[in-house]
Amino acid sequence: MPGPDHRSLLAELTLEEKASLVSGSGFWHTRSVERVGIPSIMVSDGPHGLRVQPGDGDHVGLGDSIPATCFPTASALGSSFDVDLVREVGAAIGREARDQGVSVVLGPGVNLKRTPLCGRNFEYLSEDPLVSGVLGAALVEGVQTEGVGASLKHFAVNNQETERLRISARVDERTLRETYLAGFERVVRTAAPWTVMCSYNRINGVYASEDPWLLTEVLRDQWGFDGLVVSDWGAVDDPVAAVVAGLDLEMPSSHGSGPRAVAAAVRAGTLDERVLDRAVDRLLGLLDRASAAGAPGATVDVDDHHALARRAAAECVVLLANGGSLLPLADDLARIAVVGEFARTPRFQGAGSSKVTPTRVDDALGALRDLLGPSVTVDFAPGFGVDDPGADDAALAAEAVEVATGADVVVLFLGLPPSFESEGFDRRHIDLPDEQVRLLEAVADVNARVVVVLANGGVVSTAPWQHRAGALVEAWLGGQAGGSAVADVLVGRVNPSGRLAETVPLRLEDTPAFGNFPGEDGEVLYGERIFVGYRFHDLVDRPVAFPFGHGLSYTTFDHTDLDVTVADPVAVPADWRGPVRLRASVVVTNTGDRAGKEVVQCYVARPDEPAPRPVRELRGFAKVDLAPGESTTVTFELAERDLARWSVRSGGWVVHPGPVEVAVGASSRDIRVAATVDLGGPAPVAPLDRSSTMAEWLAHPVGHDRLVEALRTAPGGDLSLLLADEDTVMMLGSFPLNRLVTMLGDAVGDDAVERLLAGLDGDGPTTA
Ligand code: BGC
């Protein structure tokens, strides 16, 4: 229902005007109604930098844009595990938006990386909902502190580009709640984005844009979202169904067709005008928020933002391996060979709607020369052409081998060409181009000291060639300052502290969605359920190239003195995650001789729960900055939700009592300290009904005695002997009560079920 502030304005609007407001104007604006003073506002991509198109943009919204700072892409930012940094980046994007008169920034994207093949993984933060949710919330907070709205996207279950406008993700509710919705929920509940963008795809057959369960029941009624829901660009299939479901703004303009359909439906009586009013009310609410921020304009210091982009990109770099301590590059080098076109022509962002026109671009080659100074000779050879059909790879490789020969160290920049990953299509494999692997082999044949630096949005398989590289640096698509940032790490100006927010698998065949991707006949089955990313690799207990959470430093850390205590739920105020149940504290010490940052990771397992649960799940992380020898205590508060699973039968979150394993470490497979505590509480029992099994009756604290008594006093004679034989109990244990009674017939009497159930309501604990 309209808020009190908008009631009179709504009353002044004609039906046509109201219908016009729930669809955009052109590509990037909302519609105005000048007659009553309703203004239009501008929205713009995107997640890692602004993409403001001059005028109203081109017909597909993908052309040139005004220069803006290109920050690291989401797959890089996810690896920073740094909440404050991500908030700072968000604020900088927000300032640039204010400067350009943009009221809503279309990001962040918090979809999970279900498969490394998703062409758009570079725009997503992690394979883990906690990392996606926490860092997504930080981005939203940052943008919104500047008086600009964020648009949390793509809600929901948009995990592939193949058929993205039509595909139906077939996914069960537990998986939705625990996995694909969890990151969105955290951002909505903790950062209150001004808008949420619904995705293109269908979920269990229903378009996200017209799904009342998703857009209203879950998003608003359960999570308390009070902003506006906007469609992804072109996601509306049926404009009337969309408004009914809770979509408030169709983007971009549908050139009048959406508004015409909506107005006609009201006239025909098939759409309640109050439903339209609700959408208009929310649009007016968005306009209020935008105008409360004041007139557009902000002071943007382009140099400052570039410096932030460099600092941010360096925080995202993940040092995967450092054989022979090749890094940081030693002070006494005479000559280094820099090989790989990416060193000179960096690949720093992905393609599609998030593509930013940068204010400037740093390249690693230039930055290395600057940082190393004139005393070190830096020779360069491109080694390969990037997406260049004319490149003579053999000649380029030969030249590179010559440059590498005799160098003190070779820094080889490899990565994915732009044509390998983009919005709009998925990857076909996760390999580097063959010519790059051949180049590495040729260079490694003449020089044993090779550092490989990777530029890629989605992960690449490293297993086929990583033994040929001494050190391996994952630099992602680091934004416009990615080149100088990786140089900072290579020379040791920055101690690397990025950690993998996504597993690097040994083979594509090992990944969770393999065999269930990209689906067929318009549907993709999420058969791996909650076991996404490391949860799957741990479930099947397979080795990986580099585990989730992994990343080295130029120093070392110890994790000791784990202390886990059970909190008194009554004494602790509950937030949306329920009361705090456990507190886990751990002492982290920098045991090396350099200052550095550790990402302390807290995993939880519920080993005794009968329902399948992951081997361990990340439930907290903290990035701590420690001087050599310094220690700090990190405390994680584990709330009810952190221990719960979604129960379809109960229609909610349930916490199984019993043991909780808390494991703290430096990656999902580098657990340093662990402890098990018992939650206590009653053993869970399913509520009993006529189809509860005999085993369930026998496990129920009240049902047990009732059943035994009913069998003992059965009209046809004592049947309780049935229970004396273990094999019989095992065999009949799965029989629902009503079937058992039917089988026993007169021996127990027709009304046995009713007698057993009578007055049982409320007897005993009934947790699922
Ligand atoms: C993308 C969105 C983007 C929108 C506007 C769509 O194709 O999926 O992420 O915000 O275009 O450019």
Side-chain angles (χ1 to χ4, degrees), residues 356-404:
V356 173
T357 302
T359 59
R360 74 180 85 149
V361 178
D362 292 349
D363 62 278
L365 177 60
L368 277 172
R369 284 188 167 135
D370 285 351
L371 290 169
L372 292 169
S375 62
V376 183
T377 304
V378 178
D379 287 332
F380 173 71
F384 53 87
V386 178
D387 275 346
D388 174 6
D392 179 348
D393 289 322
L396 290 171
E399 180 201 3
V401 166
E402 204 171 299
V403 165

Side-chain angles (χ1 to χ4, degrees), residues 28 45 51 106 120 153-154 164 197 200 232-233 353 423:
W28 305 116
D45 285 302
R51 191 171 67 91
L106 304 176
R120 217 172 171 184
K153 68 189 187 183
H154 307 91
R164 68 170 164 156
M197 185 192 293
Y200 285 128
D232 198 346
W233 267 229
S353 64
E423 177 179 342

Side-chain angles (χ1 to χ4, degrees), residues 495-509:
N495 190 350
S497 63
R499 302 289 184 264
L500 288 175
E502 148 182 39
T503 308
V504 182
L506 283 175
R507 310 173 314 154
L508 179 63
E509 291 82 344

Side-chain angles (χ1 to χ4, degrees), residues 25-82:
S25 160
F27 236 79
W28 305 116
H29 294 85
T30 62
R31 289 194 79 86
S32 61
V33 181
E34 279 164 24
R35 188 179 70 75
V36 293
I38 295 178
S40 148
I41 57 169
M42 184 176 20
V43 303
S44 177
D45 285 302
H48 59 265
L50 268 197
R51 191 171 67 91
V52 176
Q53 292 197 289
D56 198 36
D58 51 66
H59 289 300
V60 285
L62 290 177
D64 285 347
S65 58
I66 293 166
T69 311
C70 179
F71 291 98
T73 58
S75 57
L77 279 182
S79 305
S80 76
F81 279 77
D82 189 330

Side-chain angles (χ1 to χ4, degrees), residues 536-614:
F536 181 77
H537 296 286
D538 289 348
L539 174 78
V540 296
D541 194 17
R542 272 198 210 130
V544 297
F546 297 103
F548 174 85
H550 169 77
L552 303 175
S553 164
Y554 297 150
T555 185
T556 46
F557 300 94
D558 265 2
H559 304 64
T560 56
D561 304 300
L562 176 65
D563 181 36
V564 184
T565 53
V566 179
D568 172 2
V570 183
V572 187
D575 63 10
W576 63 278
R577 299 174 310 143
V580 171
R581 298 293 299 272
L582 299 177
R583 284 205 176 77
S585 65
V586 64
V587 176
V588 186
T589 307
N590 180 345
T591 49
D593 55 9
R594 255 176 204 264
K597 294 180 186 169
E598 173 68 316
V599 176
V600 191
Q601 301 160 39
C602 178
Y603 295 87
V604 163
R606 305 302 323 273
D608 277 12
E609 185 155 353
R613 296 286 302 247

Side-chain angles (χ1 to χ4, degrees), residues 725-741:
D725 179 34
E726 232 174 80
D727 290 346
T728 310
V729 174
M730 289 283 283
M731 211 272 289
L732 292 179
S734 62
F735 262 77
L737 178 72
N738 57 345
R739 312 269 190 91
L740 203 60
V741 166

